[in-house]
Amino acid sequence: MHTALSQSARHSAGRTGRRLLPAVLGLCLALVFSSPSAGRAERVTLLIPSKPSIEEPLLPVSDKNAQTQADSARKGAQKSDGEKKDGAKPAAKSADKAPKKKGAAPAADSTKEPAPAPSAPSLGELTDQVNASILASVAPQVIREEVDLLMGGMEPFRYRGISMDPPRLFSIYRFDRNQANPDEPAAREDRLGDIEEIRYLDQKAWGANVGLNRPGLYQFSIETQPWWEPSQAGYAQHLVKVMVPVCGEDWGWHLPLNLQFEIVADVRPFGLMAPALFTGHVLAQGKPAADISVRVCRINVEKTQVPTPWNESIALRTDASGSFSAVLNKPGWWCCLATRSGAPLKGPDGQPSPLLVSTLLWLYVDEAR
């Protein structure tokens, strides 16, 4: 009897175990892949320019008078050099030896003195011409360049697009070291009206074509609308920026845009070659943000496989000064993303729901050749 009961219990337990096994395995997999610490798929907001930098030659446009004087100086110098090489010009043929043509105008009186040859510019004139040339070279420059900007949602490691609503803000800042206050943007424009809906990775995204007419360091920034994030039972919002140096100008990469929450580079975020050490610091309301979660990830265009979800991004926290560092070991577009809690928003049920605000900085790393 005891043996029969034991066998019956074992069979019952076996049947129960077989029924529970799929559920237990499903629960374990759900916990692994839904837990943030296990490398949950990171969502980022793209703000990618069509060119990481613009190195086209300048087209100088300056005051017409200064340019005219510079041209005159160049022509005068060429003429002076020619006279020194060739000596005095040969005298003109006398009027009586010139061939006479029927109906020709009377010959000029040969007794009149010939017009004096133009003299070389004096020292004072040369000085004025050189100064005009220098002025022309440092006058404001104009360029005719443009850059396209891609804005959209993405899981960067899995190279998967995510549909994105239009941003609520799109701003362009230009820095110029020659301004009276070089630590502030020389110009700022709100260009939300320039964006248009496009498709990227088969998802709704946004694009903008921006004309650039002056050299400088351009910083582009967008602010997304908050969206409901089911995985965290709350809202998320991104503040994103990227930089493009134009015509060799790099002043301003270390300066903040005075956003409510932003990453400021301590290492120039362009002109990097893999592997590169990048360091930045996080500001919240203009002050260093300590103990903030930061993730650093790369757009995995090759769709490279990794051993575990931990390998999809670099996770770290800011120190007491708000700083963090990471090694960017491959070429391509990299994103630094810092996250903190924001003011709660009304959720679908009408109750206050948490809001996580992330600030993103995009940077490009070249391949060492």
Side-chain angles (χ1 to χ4, degrees), residues 174-188 251-252 254-256 258:
R174 180 176 59 83
F175 284 86
D176 185 344
R177 73 174 75 239
N178 297 318
Q179 295 296 310
N181 187 0
D183 289 348
E184 296 293 332
R188 179 184 183 275
W251 173 261
H254 62 298
L255 299 174
N258 297 320

Side-chain angles (χ1 to χ4, degrees), residues 9 65 82 84 133 148 165 168 189 227 241 271 289 312-313 366:
N65 293 331
K84 288 179 181 179
S133 178
D148 294 317
D165 290 330
R168 59 161 48 166
E189 297 179 75
W227 71 86
K241 68 179 185 179
E312 294 183 3
S313 64
D366 286 293

Side-chain angles (χ1 to χ4, degrees), residues 108-150:
D109 187 356
S110 59
T111 60
K112 291 184 179 180
E113 296 182 0
S119 59
S122 65
L123 180 60
E125 290 173 336
L126 279 175
T127 302
D128 292 340
Q129 292 168 355
V130 169
N131 288 338
S133 178
I134 294 174
L135 177 62
S137 68
V138 299
Q141 308 280 342
V142 232
I143 59 174
R144 295 183 182 89
E145 290 295 334
E146 60 183 32
V147 64
D148 294 317
L149 290 160
L150 168 65

